[in-house]
Amino acid sequence: MWLDKQRKYADFKARFEQKHGNSWEKARIDYFDPMVTDNLAETLAEMNDHAAEKYENILDDIENRQKQSIEDCCSRVDDYIKTKASSFRLNFYVDEVGQYISGDSKLMLNIQTLAETLATRTRGQSWIFVTSQEDMEKIVGDMTKNQQNDFSRIQARFKHKIPLTSANVDEVIEKRLLQKDEPAVKLLQDVWKQEHANLSTLLSFSDVGVQFRKYQNQDDFTNKYPFVAYQFSLFQECRRALSSHNAFQGRHQSVGERSMLGVFQQVVTGIEHQKENTLVSFDKMFEGIRNELRGEIQKSIILAERNIDNTFAVQILKTLFMVKYFSNFKTTRRNISVLMIDNMHIDLKAHEKKVDEALNLLENQSYVQRNGDMYEFLTDDEKDIETSIKATDIEDSAVTQMLKEIFFDEIIRDSKIRFLENKQDYDFTSKIDGVMLGREKELEIEIITPNYRDYENNTHHQAHTMGSTCMKIILPQDPVFIKDLKLYLRTIKFIRHNQNTSNRPEVKRILSQKGQMNAARRKTLIDLANKMLTTSTVYMNGSKLEMNTSSDGKTFVINAFQHLIRIVYPSLIMIGATIYSEDTVKQVMRKQQPAMFGADEQPPSEAESEILTLVNRRKSMSDRTSLNDIREHFARKPDGWYPNAVWTLIAMLCKRESLNLLQDGAPLNDEAVVTALLNVRHHPNTLAEIKAGDRPEDIRALKKLYAELFDETTTASTGKEIGNAFKDKLNDMAIQVEKLLVNQKEYPFMNLLIPLSDELVKIGKKD
């Protein structure tokens, strides 16, 4: 300004351009550039015959010395106007002045002083234009009396005010913008008669979220066409939601007819040459508010327009932006598809496929995020964070661990599964995609997910189960399960590493929102995994298992596990369906034998014979056999017998006297056998031995001899019991002989019975 007053400004610009290469008007934009400041100092030095160092900081000095006041500002404006033609006017425009004023009365007075001073100093050649909301209380809050007086003086300076009320939106737009002439009404009535059933189906939203009314009748369709009934309410709600999130350049943009009329008019103008089957898709509303939006909030859309060739995808992005903050509207694929319908005769199947492709493109490029079946537009900060989340590295082990938590911890939830035929629980090894989780057990459940390298190789899966104790559950292919699972893990890791107190409030909000969405994503993953399990393919023993449908994943796994147990443990059939318990062990040893233990004449069962065979085989190899050895042997394939079944079978063998249990070399009596079998501490040092001569044929021979000697049968079934029966009979016989010997004086021939009596007494004393 001071060069201009000295009439040196033109000379300065010419010298500067010659020295710098660019005009002063262009160069001063980058006044902080060292080259600019150096050339500026050199130019001024030449003009004023001073050293260049004197002018190195000239711009900063001028700025620091400049007075910051209303009077000075107005003087500078007036000086600028004087340099122009007499007809020149300089006007200042302030949109939504309420944001500036807020509740500060000093600011209200400042703008009044500025307007008055500017008008006076410039002699009316400079004006201030402002826009404002009519309901100022919403902007500035509750005003005091003095504030109201101050503000009323400011309002009084505006002679012409145009109030806009929020009446019924539909009625205003229909009457002021969409009114049709008679031929058009007749044409649309014919269209309604042909298409109303189709429109009802075509424009139906999913049951999730808020519901909007459809065309009510022929008149409603005629009045609203080419707009769809839901668009009036939805657009206004979306606009209010955007306004509440400060999306517009003015904090309190109008959300009533003033804005809606302009938007609807712009949309209608854009489709005026379309045919009568045309409908307005919701994305067209965006163009009507585009110029009102803050620049930074629509950066993603501008970027997409420049870089995405798929125009339809950009249209969907605009639609998702519109509904972003209206949380009652659920942006599912179905609902987005409805919003994008622009023709009554649209091929719905092809349209939905087109929507899917566009959404996948937008999601892959982080323009939108998906949580379950919901899609959401991402702002710049959200997009940056979403991009960073997707770039976060996760270990394969973390994926496997997460799969384990979902399938084995959340759905199956047990480390043992019950075999329904004998009500016993069987351990199993958990595996995911070839990785063992936890300790190895004999039975194995492996879940193969789409993340597995050989997922599609069914021959590989089938071959790996041949002759093994494993069942492989092959999950069905799902396009989003693994993708969402990895996104869940990346989100957790990103939030954990980036959540700190120094974050901006907006970043804190986004991270908090991401955490909440991730919690919902986990629930969705579990639900999806459960559903996938019910439709899985199962391989075991080299073949595919035909499974009935199940209501949930856990039931499906339990049912498949029943088949695995029957295949791996074919010898389970030996112990039958009887439920063995500690009580059955006690009943056998205390002679409270139920019918299940067989009739007296029956030989040892197949299961009992297996135990005797084991003990004999180990004895032939000079190995002693403890209760632990027996339990561990029959717990493995091909038997799979549970402990109480084994203990009951051993008890039965002990009662038959086919087997002896010994501790420290001494045989155990019945009660000691019960204690040894049921107390795990005794299992390592309690040995089992085959009792010699206790073969079934010997038992039969003894019983036959008993019958021949005493002319009666015995109910005893073991060698010991038959021996006791013999002993009892012989004792009775000894008593009878003694009675006869009392009369030997009278009958001398009775002396012949003395040797027999002695022998009977001797036998009776034996164990």
Side-chain angles (χ1 to χ4, degrees), residues 55-111:
Y55 300 101
E56 285 182 350
N57 299 315
I58 185 65
L59 294 178
D60 291 334
D61 292 342
I62 292 173
E63 183 177 0
N64 293 334
R65 294 172 184 174
Q66 199 70 257
K67 296 179 181 179
Q68 300 296 328
S69 66
I70 293 176
E71 187 69 27
D72 182 65
C73 175
C74 294
S75 296
R76 292 170 63 190
V77 171
D78 184 42
D79 290 342
Y80 178 76
I81 292 174
K82 288 178 180 178
T83 64
K84 306 297 180 183
S86 60
S87 59
F88 179 80
R89 298 289 186 272
L90 180 61
N91 298 326
F92 297 91
Y93 295 86
V94 183
D95 188 26
E96 295 295 339
V97 71
Q99 293 185 66
Y100 169 74
I101 295 174
S102 188
D104 194 336
S105 61
K106 291 182 179 179
L107 293 180
M108 289 191 285
L109 294 175
N110 281 348
I111 196 171

Side-chain angles (χ1 to χ4, degrees), residues 101-104 108 135-152 155:
I101 295 174
S102 188
D104 194 336
M108 289 191 285
D135 188 1
M136 288 303 297
E137 287 191 5
K138 286 186 177 179
I139 301 172
V140 301
D142 294 331
M143 294 187 290
T144 64
K145 186 174 182 180
N146 288 335
Q147 287 175 326
Q148 290 174 352
N149 292 335
D150 291 338
F151 190 71
S152 65
Q155 285 184 311

Side-chain angles (χ1 to χ4, degrees), residues 125-143:
Q125 288 183 277
S126 181
W127 288 20
I128 296 178
F129 294 82
V130 301
T131 64
S132 178
Q133 296 291 313
E134 182 180 23
D135 188 1
M136 288 303 297
E137 287 191 5
K138 286 186 177 179
I139 301 172
V140 301
D142 294 331
M143 294 187 290

